[in-house]
Amino acid sequence: ISYLGVYVREAFESFWARFGWLDTTMSSGWILLFKLLTVVALGGLVKIIYEKRKRFKKSSQFLLGSSFIIGGLYLLYFFDKVLITGSMEVHRVDQGRYYFILMVPLLLLGLQGLFRWIPKEWHNHALVLLNIYMVFFNLLALVTVIIPRYYV
């Protein structure tokens, strides 16, 4: 179990906040923000499943199915990596960039989870704020991480 914790932490942090050869890291405040957003999104997904457990619609079936597929593939990969090959040393944990193929499904599931906590009449405002945040975050990453690391 402790291996799984190390593996998930390393994969999560290298997916969201480590760059290059994992030697360039965003501040711990940003990592904490990403973790909080992930927990809130997962809570929203659980809320969706709980609320629609008796009257499953196709969207709920898609949500549940895609969650199980993504989670199942990740666990299968983890068990292959750790239990079969025995490569759980931290320097051998795969970098988060290897999970970029999951970015679109994770984004869609995460947004569904986040928006579950926001009243419907605020969804358009939340989308505008999310777009502003993403522009701000990308500019901040460019100025504070990428340019100093690769161009200065």
Side-chain angles (χ1 to χ4, degrees):
I1 297 294
S2 65
Y3 288 142
L4 181 60
V6 170
Y7 190 85
V8 169
R9 187 188 76 239
E10 290 293 320
F12 182 89
E13 290 180 7
S14 66
F15 184 84
W16 288 109
R18 289 192 193 157
F19 308 98
W21 291 99
L22 300 181
D23 60 351
T24 306
T25 304
M26 294 196 74
S27 71
S28 59
W30 283 105
I31 295 172
L32 179 62
L33 178 65
F34 292 134
K35 288 178 181 178
L36 290 173
L37 285 173
T38 301
V39 168
V40 170
L42 288 173
L45 293 175
V46 169
K47 186 177 178 186
I48 290 171
I49 293 168
Y50 179 77
E51 289 173 352
K52 299 191 179 216
R53 68 189 184 282
K54 291 190 178 180
R55 53 182 180 87
F56 257 70
K57 294 181 179 177
K58 289 188 184 221
S59 63
S60 297
Q61 291 173 345
F62 169 77
L63 174 69
L64 185 62
S66 55
S67 298
F68 280 121
I69 289 171
I70 291 171
L73 288 173
Y74 187 80
L75 282 175
L76 192 64
Y77 181 75
F78 168 77
F79 284 123
D80 171 61
K81 197 76 175 141
V82 175
L83 299 179
I84 295 173
T85 62
S87 64
M88 192 48 226
E89 299 162 27
V90 173
H91 67 279
R92 288 189 174 183
V93 172
D94 288 332
Q95 298 174 24
R97 64 182 172 192
Y98 298 125
Y99 300 107
F100 280 175
I101 195 166
L102 297 175
M103 195 171 277
V104 171
L106 288 174
L107 178 66
L108 293 174
L109 289 171
L111 285 176
Q112 275 196 324
L114 287 174
F115 275 73
R116 197 56 174 179
W117 301 107
I118 301 172
K120 265 197 189 276
E121 59 269 11
W122 286 89
H123 281 190
N124 287 336
H125 300 294
L127 282 173
V128 169
L129 287 174
L130 186 62
N131 282 305
I132 291 170
Y133 164 76
M134 289 307 299
V135 168
F136 170 73
F137 175 73
N138 281 303
L139 286 174
L140 184 71
L142 178 69
V143 171
T144 62
V145 176
I146 296 170
I147 290 174
R149 166 65 167 88
Y150 296 103
Y151 299 102
V152 176

